[in-house]
Every structure is written in C-alpha cells, then in structure tokens.
Amino acid sequence: MTAASSKITGCRNLVATATVKTAVTRAYTSHNALFHHIEPRPGQFLYGQCGDTRYAATAFELTPGATPKERVGIQDDGSARKYFILRDGQPWVYSHSAAPFSGGCVGIPKELSRLWDNCPSE
C-alpha cells in the first residue's frame, strides 16, 4: 500500500494471514461451486476493518489440478476482483465482483477505500 497512514477515521488495514486468505477463498468456492483449484492472486489481497466489520478484496488465480471448466471460468468472472465481508463473528461472506480493470473499490466504505489506494486496477 502506498497510503500515507494505515488508519483513517475508524478504518484500518490489517495483516492478511494464511488463515484469513483460506477463509475468504472458502467463502468464494462455497458461493461458486465451479472453482476448487484457486488461491488469491499474490500481492493483490486487500484486508481491513471499519468498526466491527472486516472487509477483504482479492482476485483469484488457478492452482495446479485446475479442470478445463475452471480454466475457462477464470477467464470470465473468475479473474475479477471479489469483495467479502465478515460481521459479528459469522463466517466470511462473498459480497460481489467488480469488472476487471473497473478501477476503484466497489461497495467498500470510503475511508477503507482510501487506505487501499482506491483499489487500483489489476
């Protein structure tokens, strides 16, 4: 991140551990049964918190063992940045996808978007 501060008006960046990345990936594969062989694209995982709500954003890439259907699917919506929300101790929930190269954070609080440098395009 190139943001000047890691905290702006009640929002802050968090360190995305392997556990967080696995939980977010599980939330997406639960939502979209096509994908079983994916992982967050390296260097593009955004993770933060505003109040008691946590947010994550990432695009995914295929891992070894991907099926032909997964290879086709990742070319479509599969490669777009995905947004996730974690509230009140519930599991991560897939919120929505952004079109590739759409620029800017989608559905993220403005303060967190600023910390994430407005989610630069992939």
Side-chain angles (χ1 to χ4, degrees):
M1 295 282 96
T2 60
S5 172
S6 64
K7 186 172 183 176
I8 296 176
T9 322
C11 293
R12 62 190 174 116
N13 277 319
L14 299 171
V15 175
T17 64
T19 301
V20 168
K21 291 178 181 182
T22 297
V24 165
T25 302
R26 189 175 302 122
Y28 187 64
T29 58
S30 293
H31 168 79
N32 188 333
L34 170 64
F35 295 109
H36 299 283
H37 301 91
I38 60 170
E39 65 186 4
R41 196 176 292 156
Q44 294 189 18
F45 197 97
L46 302 171
Y47 179 45
Q49 181 173 350
C50 295
D52 293 333
T53 304
R54 294 183 184 216
Y55 299 87
T58 189
F60 292 99
E61 66 181 19
L62 297 175
T63 59
T67 66
K69 285 184 179 182
E70 287 175 301
R71 286 196 282 284
V72 170
I74 204 77
Q75 295 173 31
D76 299 323
D77 184 56
S79 64
R81 182 179 284 131
K82 312 290 184 268
Y83 293 88
F84 302 85
I85 299 173
L86 179 67
R87 290 189 177 109
D88 300 324
Q90 299 296 313
W92 281 98
V93 175
Y94 166 71
S95 176
H96 59 282
S97 295
F101 308 107
S102 63
C105 298
V106 178
I108 298 297
K110 188 184 304 184
E111 294 84 4
L112 189 56
S113 178
R114 279 188 245 144
L115 285 174
W116 289 355
D117 293 328
N118 200 32
C119 299
S121 296
E122 291 92 48

